[in-house]
Amino acid sequence: MEQQVKSKKRVADHGEVFTAEREVNAMLDLVKNETERIESRFLEPACGNGNFLAEILRRKLAVVKRMYGKNPADYEKWSIIALMNIYGVELLNDNAVECRERLYGIWNEAYTAACKKDANDECRRAARFVLEKNILCGNALSLKKVDANGQDTEEPIIFAEWTFIVGSKVKRRDFRLDVLLEENPDQENYSMQLSLFGDTASDADNWMIDPETNKPTPKPIREFEPKDYRRIWEDA
Ligand SMILES: C[S@@+](CC[C@H](N)C(=O)[O-])C[C@H]1O[C@@H](n2cnc3c(N)ncnc32)[C@H](O)[C@@H]1O
């Protein structure tokens, strides 16, 4: 059985008690359909070394295998999509590192077994890059990144959104987590503010009107040119 406590001090300082596998599965079964949908997005705000995220990834990869296991190119792409939709925040650096390694290990073992001679290091590098961007060391209460001692920095937590647009091309957009978690500004007032004050309106830096829905939506802080998913690591 997995160890649930690393030290008494860590329990006292950070409430670090890992969830046992049986409870993880029972809780994930409450949202079973979502755990088995390759593109469903999960964010765990205090992910520890990844007990929940690891099981979510296993479940998604089982579906990828069932649906695309016979075609290495499709398996590769969909297994990366599964990984791209798993996010975590963790205060303690050693846990965050462990979590990334664990998710990479699960993904790589499944990938290598399914794709055999077609498995390649370029895609492995892309998988590692996704995990670097998706599993972050931060404070889920202040929504700031933390330093190696677990102390808040001034930098907000920023997550990448990965969207496959056509074929093997992915578009990455980076968002501030604090803005994603804000309530939508009231649409009528927001539009009025924008028209009165243009870019000086208080929310104008963080929100924009979606041209398709005409509703306020978080504004990405950075957008990248679409890129083959195996080369996403070219944009830092
Ligand atoms: C009870 S453990 C649960 C870990 C994991 N979710 C699990 O179920 O196995 C809580 C985790 O939250 C982390 N943590 C504590 N305060 C946090 C904060 N403000 N932001 C992010 N993580 C935090 C701890 O380091 C610890 O790994």
Side-chain angles (χ1 to χ4, degrees):
M1 199 175 117
E2 279 279 310
Q3 196 190 354
Q4 283 186 265
V5 169
K6 284 186 176 174
S7 74
K8 280 189 185 163
K9 180 160 172 33
R10 289 171 69 112
V11 176
D13 290 351
H14 306 294
E16 187 195 68
V17 178
F18 298 120
T19 309
E21 200 180 325
R22 197 180 60 167
E23 280 73 39
V24 167
N25 274 304
M27 287 168 77
L28 290 181
D29 283 347
L30 298 172
V31 287
K32 194 165 187 291
N33 288 347
E34 286 303 291
T35 62
E36 292 173 350
R37 198 162 64 79
I38 304 168
E39 290 174 281
S40 64
R41 216 174 259 155
F42 281 84
L43 162 63
E44 203 195 342
C47 66
N49 61 5
N51 285 330
F52 282 91
L53 300 182
E55 181 54 29
I56 291 166
L57 180 59
R58 276 193 209 98
R59 291 180 181 206
K60 283 173 178 269
L61 290 177
V63 177
V64 176
K65 181 154 185 241
R66 215 164 48 237
M67 292 176 72
Y68 304 108
K70 291 206 167 79
N71 179 330
D74 285 346
Y75 182 94
E76 180 179 284
K77 175 175 157 180
W78 284 95
S79 73
I80 287 284
I81 294 176
L83 206 57
M84 283 174 165
N85 283 295
I86 291 178
Y87 294 87
V89 176
E90 165 58 39
L91 191 70
L92 302 179
N93 187 50
D94 61 342
N95 283 341
V97 170
E98 231 178 277
C99 180
R100 277 183 218 118
E101 280 305 309
R102 188 170 172 193
L103 296 179
Y104 178 76
I106 292 167
W107 175 85
N108 189 36
E109 195 182 328
Y111 171 60
T112 307
C115 294
K116 302 192 174 65
K117 63 176 180 22
D118 293 309
N120 61 83
D121 286 343
E122 203 174 36
C123 185
R124 291 190 177 99
R125 184 168 176 187
R128 282 209 180 271
F129 184 75
V130 168
L131 288 167
E132 243 174 67
K133 297 287 168 203
N134 282 22
I135 308 296
L136 296 181
C137 207
N139 183 334
L141 298 175
S142 66
L143 305 176
K144 303 273 192 212
K145 287 186 187 155
V146 294
D147 62 23
N149 301 316
Q151 298 302 311
D152 279 17
T153 66
E154 288 301 312
E155 268 184 83
I157 295 175
I158 291 165
F159 275 124
E161 173 205 60
W162 315 93
T163 312
F164 270 78
I165 43 170
V166 61
S168 62
K169 288 254 191 301
V170 173
K171 179 153 180 70
R172 173 179 152 202
R173 300 192 305 162
D174 286 356
F175 290 90
R176 290 172 60 131
L177 181 58
D178 54 359
V179 176
L180 291 177
L181 295 177
E182 263 173 29
E183 270 185 45
N184 269 17
D186 169 65
Q187 188 178 354
E188 221 169 87
N189 286 339
Y190 180 74
S191 307
M192 203 154 66
Q193 264 187 0
L194 277 185
S195 62
L196 286 175
F197 303 111
D199 277 351
T200 61
S202 59
D203 281 325
D205 285 343
N206 297 330
W207 292 79
M208 62 186 196
I209 298 289
D210 184 323
E212 271 171 35
T213 62
N214 206 27
K215 294 206 161 102
T217 185
K219 199 193 258 186
I221 61 158
R222 240 177 123 186
E223 292 196 50
F224 298 80
E225 284 303 309
K227 173 151 278 189
D228 187 287
Y229 69 89
R230 300 169 206 92
R231 303 193 69 81
I232 43 175
W233 39 266
E234 286 174 352
D235 295 318

